[in-house]
Amino acid sequence: MGFRRGQTPTSTTDTRLLENRGEADWVHSDPWRVLRIQSEFVEGFGALAELGPAVSVFGSARTAVDTEVYRTGMDIGRRLVAEGFAVITGGGPGLMEAANRGACEAGGTSVGLGIELPHEQGMNDWVDLAVNFRYFFARKTMFLKYSQGFVVLPGGWGTLDELFEALTLVQTGKVRAFPVCLVGTEYWGGLLDWVRGTQLDAGTISTQDLDLVTLTDDPAEAVALMVAAREQHPTS
Protein backbone atom coordinates (compact mmCIF):
# COMPACT_ATOMS: atom_id res chain seq x y z
CA MET A 1 0.00 0.00 0.00
CA GLY A 2 1.45 3.39 -0.98
CA PHE A 3 0.33 6.97 -0.45
CA ARG A 4 1.08 9.77 -2.89
CA ARG A 5 0.67 13.55 -3.08
CA GLY A 6 0.72 14.07 0.66
CA GLN A 7 -2.05 11.60 1.47
CA THR A 8 -0.12 10.00 4.32
CA PRO A 9 -1.80 8.22 7.23
CA THR A 10 -1.97 9.98 10.59
CA SER A 11 -1.25 6.71 12.41
CA THR A 12 0.02 3.26 11.53
CA THR A 13 -1.32 -0.23 12.12
CA ASP A 14 1.36 -0.78 14.78
CA THR A 15 0.21 2.38 16.56
CA ARG A 16 -3.40 1.28 16.61
CA LEU A 17 -2.45 -2.21 17.79
CA LEU A 18 -0.46 -0.88 20.75
CA GLU A 19 -2.95 1.76 21.85
CA ASN A 20 -4.95 0.99 24.98
CA ARG A 21 -7.59 3.58 25.74
CA GLY A 22 -9.60 1.52 28.21
CA GLU A 23 -12.40 0.92 25.74
CA ALA A 24 -14.07 -2.41 25.02
CA ASP A 25 -13.62 -2.22 21.25
CA TRP A 26 -10.67 -4.60 21.44
CA VAL A 27 -13.10 -7.45 22.17
CA HIS A 28 -14.40 -7.06 18.65
CA SER A 29 -11.34 -5.83 16.74
CA ASP A 30 -8.24 -7.56 18.17
CA PRO A 31 -9.19 -11.13 17.11
CA TRP A 32 -9.31 -9.86 13.53
CA ARG A 33 -5.94 -8.22 13.98
CA VAL A 34 -4.54 -11.62 14.89
CA LEU A 35 -5.64 -12.88 11.49
CA ARG A 36 -4.01 -9.90 9.79
CA ILE A 37 -0.78 -10.55 11.70
CA GLN A 38 -0.96 -14.19 10.69
CA SER A 39 -1.40 -13.19 7.05
CA GLU A 40 1.76 -11.07 7.19
CA PHE A 41 3.80 -14.02 8.41
CA VAL A 42 2.27 -16.30 5.77
CA GLU A 43 2.99 -13.78 3.01
CA GLY A 44 6.57 -13.22 4.18
CA PHE A 45 7.34 -16.90 4.56
CA GLY A 46 5.84 -17.64 1.16
CA ALA A 47 7.76 -14.89 -0.61
CA LEU A 48 11.14 -15.64 0.95
CA ALA A 49 11.13 -19.42 1.50
CA GLU A 50 13.19 -20.15 -1.61
CA LEU A 51 15.43 -17.10 -1.41
CA GLY A 52 18.64 -18.99 -0.63
CA PRO A 53 21.64 -17.54 1.25
CA ALA A 54 21.08 -13.87 2.03
CA VAL A 55 22.53 -11.02 4.06
CA SER A 56 20.62 -8.02 5.37
CA VAL A 57 22.15 -4.57 4.96
CA PHE A 58 20.92 -1.77 7.22
CA GLY A 59 21.57 1.95 7.15
CA SER A 60 20.04 5.41 7.06
CA ALA A 61 17.21 6.30 4.71
CA ARG A 62 18.48 9.90 4.75
CA THR A 63 21.86 9.39 3.09
CA ALA A 64 22.31 11.23 -0.20
CA VAL A 65 23.27 9.44 -3.40
CA ASP A 66 26.40 11.55 -3.97
CA THR A 67 28.18 10.47 -0.77
CA GLU A 68 31.04 8.10 -0.10
CA VAL A 69 28.99 5.99 2.28
CA TYR A 70 26.31 5.51 -0.43
CA ARG A 71 29.04 4.23 -2.74
CA THR A 72 30.20 1.93 0.07
CA GLY A 73 26.67 0.55 0.34
CA MET A 74 26.63 -0.17 -3.39
CA ASP A 75 30.02 -1.86 -3.16
CA ILE A 76 28.80 -4.10 -0.34
CA GLY A 77 25.73 -5.06 -2.36
CA ARG A 78 27.87 -6.00 -5.35
CA ARG A 79 30.34 -7.97 -3.26
CA LEU A 80 27.60 -9.93 -1.50
CA VAL A 81 26.11 -10.94 -4.86
CA ALA A 82 29.54 -11.98 -6.13
CA GLU A 83 29.78 -14.34 -3.15
CA GLY A 84 26.40 -15.90 -3.87
CA PHE A 85 24.22 -13.96 -1.42
CA ALA A 86 20.92 -12.25 -2.01
CA VAL A 87 20.74 -8.78 -0.47
CA ILE A 88 17.88 -7.84 1.86
CA THR A 89 17.18 -4.27 3.00
CA GLY A 90 14.25 -2.33 4.38
CA GLY A 91 13.51 -1.31 0.81
CA GLY A 92 13.66 2.42 1.42
CA PRO A 93 15.90 5.20 0.09
CA GLY A 94 19.41 6.15 1.20
CA LEU A 95 21.73 3.34 2.20
CA MET A 96 19.01 0.74 1.76
CA GLU A 97 18.72 1.83 -1.85
CA ALA A 98 22.51 1.75 -2.22
CA ALA A 99 22.77 -1.90 -1.20
CA ASN A 100 19.78 -2.87 -3.35
CA ARG A 101 21.26 -0.99 -6.28
CA GLY A 102 24.64 -2.67 -5.94
CA ALA A 103 22.98 -6.09 -5.81
CA CYS A 104 20.70 -5.36 -8.75
CA GLU A 105 23.48 -3.97 -10.95
CA ALA A 106 25.58 -7.07 -10.15
CA GLY A 107 22.78 -9.31 -11.40
CA GLY A 108 21.82 -10.67 -8.00
CA THR A 109 18.58 -10.89 -6.05
CA SER A 110 17.62 -7.60 -4.43
CA VAL A 111 14.97 -7.81 -1.70
CA GLY A 112 13.08 -5.03 0.07
CA LEU A 113 11.05 -5.58 3.23
CA GLY A 114 9.02 -2.41 3.55
CA ILE A 115 7.10 -1.09 6.54
CA GLU A 116 4.06 1.14 6.88
CA LEU A 117 5.17 4.51 8.28
CA PRO A 118 3.43 7.86 8.92
CA HIS A 119 5.99 9.47 6.57
CA GLU A 120 5.60 7.14 3.60
CA GLN A 121 8.95 6.31 1.96
CA GLY A 122 7.95 3.81 -0.69
CA MET A 123 10.03 1.00 -2.15
CA ASN A 124 13.20 2.05 -3.96
CA ASP A 125 13.55 1.34 -7.68
CA TRP A 126 16.30 -1.27 -7.23
CA VAL A 127 14.19 -3.85 -5.39
CA ASP A 128 13.33 -7.00 -7.36
CA LEU A 129 11.36 -8.79 -4.64
CA ALA A 130 9.25 -6.54 -2.43
CA VAL A 131 7.25 -7.51 0.64
CA ASN A 132 5.37 -4.83 2.58
CA PHE A 133 4.51 -5.14 6.27
CA ARG A 134 2.21 -3.34 8.67
CA TYR A 135 3.81 -4.75 11.81
CA PHE A 136 7.42 -4.22 12.76
CA PHE A 137 7.70 -7.52 14.62
CA ALA A 138 6.61 -9.53 11.57
CA ARG A 139 9.13 -7.69 9.41
CA LYS A 140 11.91 -8.19 11.95
CA THR A 141 11.24 -11.91 11.95
CA MET A 142 11.80 -12.01 8.19
CA PHE A 143 15.11 -10.16 8.45
CA LEU A 144 16.42 -12.63 10.99
CA LYS A 145 14.91 -15.82 9.60
CA TYR A 146 16.11 -15.33 6.03
CA SER A 147 19.48 -13.66 6.64
CA GLN A 148 22.75 -15.33 7.49
CA GLY A 149 24.18 -12.12 8.91
CA PHE A 150 23.81 -8.34 9.16
CA VAL A 151 25.97 -5.63 7.64
CA VAL A 152 25.19 -2.35 9.39
CA LEU A 153 26.04 0.97 7.76
CA PRO A 154 25.62 4.35 9.51
CA GLY A 155 22.00 4.87 10.48
CA GLY A 156 19.54 6.22 13.00
CA TRP A 157 17.10 4.78 15.52
CA GLY A 158 15.77 2.10 13.20
CA THR A 159 19.27 0.90 12.39
CA LEU A 160 20.18 0.82 16.08
CA ASP A 161 16.99 -1.11 16.79
CA GLU A 162 17.87 -3.83 14.28
CA LEU A 163 21.50 -3.92 15.45
CA PHE A 164 20.78 -4.37 19.14
CA GLU A 165 17.96 -6.81 18.59
CA ALA A 166 20.28 -9.00 16.50
CA LEU A 167 23.03 -8.81 19.12
CA THR A 168 20.54 -9.72 21.87
CA LEU A 169 19.32 -12.75 19.94
CA VAL A 170 22.88 -13.92 19.25
CA GLN A 171 23.89 -13.37 22.88
CA THR A 172 20.93 -15.38 24.14
CA GLY A 173 21.37 -18.18 21.61
CA LYS A 174 18.12 -17.51 19.77
CA VAL A 175 20.11 -17.29 16.54
CA ARG A 176 23.43 -19.04 16.01
CA ALA A 177 26.42 -18.46 13.73
CA PHE A 178 25.09 -15.00 12.94
CA PRO A 179 27.81 -12.42 12.16
CA VAL A 180 27.11 -8.73 12.72
CA CYS A 181 29.45 -6.22 11.09
CA LEU A 182 29.43 -2.46 11.60
CA VAL A 183 30.86 -0.54 8.64
CA GLY A 184 32.25 2.90 9.47
CA THR A 185 34.79 3.21 12.28
CA GLU A 186 34.35 6.97 12.63
CA TYR A 187 30.57 6.65 12.88
CA TRP A 188 30.34 3.57 15.12
CA GLY A 189 33.60 3.89 17.07
CA GLY A 190 32.15 6.15 19.77
CA LEU A 191 29.30 3.74 20.40
CA LEU A 192 31.67 0.82 20.89
CA ASP A 193 33.92 2.95 23.08
CA TRP A 194 30.91 3.59 25.31
CA VAL A 195 30.06 -0.12 25.36
CA ARG A 196 33.61 -0.97 26.45
CA GLY A 197 34.07 1.94 28.82
CA THR A 198 30.63 2.00 30.44
CA GLN A 199 28.74 -1.27 30.00
CA LEU A 200 31.76 -3.55 30.31
CA ASP A 201 33.15 -1.61 33.29
CA ALA A 202 29.75 -1.77 34.97
CA GLY A 203 29.55 -5.50 34.40
CA THR A 204 26.33 -5.32 32.42
CA ILE A 205 27.96 -7.15 29.52
CA SER A 206 30.90 -9.56 29.33
CA THR A 207 34.07 -9.47 27.25
CA GLN A 208 32.60 -12.31 25.17
CA ASP A 209 29.70 -10.06 24.21
CA LEU A 210 32.13 -7.67 22.55
CA ASP A 211 33.12 -10.47 20.17
CA LEU A 212 29.59 -10.56 18.76
CA VAL A 213 30.20 -7.50 16.60
CA THR A 214 32.99 -6.59 14.15
CA LEU A 215 33.91 -3.00 13.24
CA THR A 216 35.55 -2.15 9.91
CA ASP A 217 35.82 0.42 7.14
CA ASP A 218 36.49 -2.22 4.50
CA PRO A 219 33.52 -3.61 2.50
CA ALA A 220 35.64 -6.61 1.54
CA GLU A 221 36.22 -7.46 5.21
CA ALA A 222 32.51 -7.14 5.98
CA VAL A 223 31.57 -9.51 3.18
CA ALA A 224 34.39 -11.92 4.04
CA LEU A 225 32.93 -12.18 7.55
CA MET A 226 29.60 -13.26 6.06
CA VAL A 227 31.32 -15.79 3.79
CA ALA A 228 33.35 -17.27 6.66
CA ALA A 229 30.21 -17.75 8.77
CA ARG A 230 28.47 -19.49 5.87
CA GLU A 231 31.42 -21.83 5.35
CA GLN A 232 31.67 -22.67 9.03
CA HIS A 233 27.96 -23.31 9.40
CA PRO A 234 26.48 -24.18 5.98
CA THR A 235 22.72 -24.39 5.78
CA SER A 236 21.15 -27.76 5.07
Side-chain angles (χ1 to χ4, degrees):
M1 176 178 65
F3 293 87
R4 297 182 181 277
R5 291 183 291 278
Q7 298 178 17
T8 56
T10 57
S11 67
T12 67
T13 311
D14 265 334
T15 306
R16 293 187 290 275
L17 171 68
L18 297 173
E19 282 179 343
N20 181 6
R21 300 184 179 180
E23 300 170 351
D25 288 347
W26 67 269
V27 174
H28 308 289
S29 62
D30 276 10
W32 293 105
R33 284 178 176 157
V34 170
L35 295 178
R36 175 177 281 182
I37 291 166
Q38 178 182 333
S39 73
E40 292 211 345
F41 281 105
V42 170
E43 181 182 359
F45 292 155
L48 302 173
E50 298 180 359
L51 182 62
V55 170
S56 288
V57 181
F58 295 98
S60 176
R62 305 181 184 186
T63 302
V65 174
D66 58 344
T67 57
E68 185 62 32
V69 68
Y70 185 96
R71 290 186 285 273
T72 297
M74 288 184 61
D75 188 18
I76 289 170
R78 285 192 293 264
R79 289 176 182 273
L80 286 169
V81 167
E83 294 293 347
F85 291 106
V87 172
I88 304 174
T89 78
L95 294 179
M96 292 175 281
E97 175 188 289
N100 285 134
R101 180 177 176 180
C104 188
E105 291 184 346
T109 302
S110 177
V111 181
L113 305 182
I115 184 69
E116 178 189 66
L117 294 172
H119 42 89
E120 187 76 12
Q121 294 179 326
M123 200 69 66
N124 71 66
D125 292 336
W126 300 97
V127 169
D128 299 317
L129 174 58
V131 186
N132 287 294
F133 295 88
R134 294 181 176 92
Y135 298 102
F136 266 111
F137 54 83
R139 179 181 185 240
K140 287 179 176 182
T141 299
M142 302 304 151
F143 278 126
L144 286 156
K145 179 172 176 60
Y146 293 104
S147 296
Q148 292 187 301
F150 284 179
V151 176
V152 186
L153 292 158
W157 293 126
T159 301
L160 289 170
D161 178 44
E162 298 291 355
L163 167 63
F164 283 113
E165 180 166 45
L167 291 175
T168 300
L169 292 173
V170 176
Q171 181 201 48
T172 55
K174 298 296 185 181
V175 293
R176 295 184 291 272
F178 196 92
V180 178
C181 185
L182 300 175
V183 178
T185 55
E186 183 175 351
Y187 189 88
W188 295 113
L191 174 63
L192 293 185
D193 287 344
W194 176 81
V195 169
R196 296 187 192 96
T198 301
Q199 287 187 299
L200 188 60
D201 285 354
T204 54
I205 64 168
S206 68
T207 54
Q208 290 80 9
D209 293 331
L210 293 173
D211 296 331
L212 301 179
V213 61
T214 299
L215 176 64
T216 185
D217 285 315
D218 185 1
E221 182 180 355
V223 174
L225 183 67
M226 305 296 135
V227 173
R230 180 181 62 189
E231 293 175 348
Q232 292 172 11
H233 301 275
T235 56
S236 57

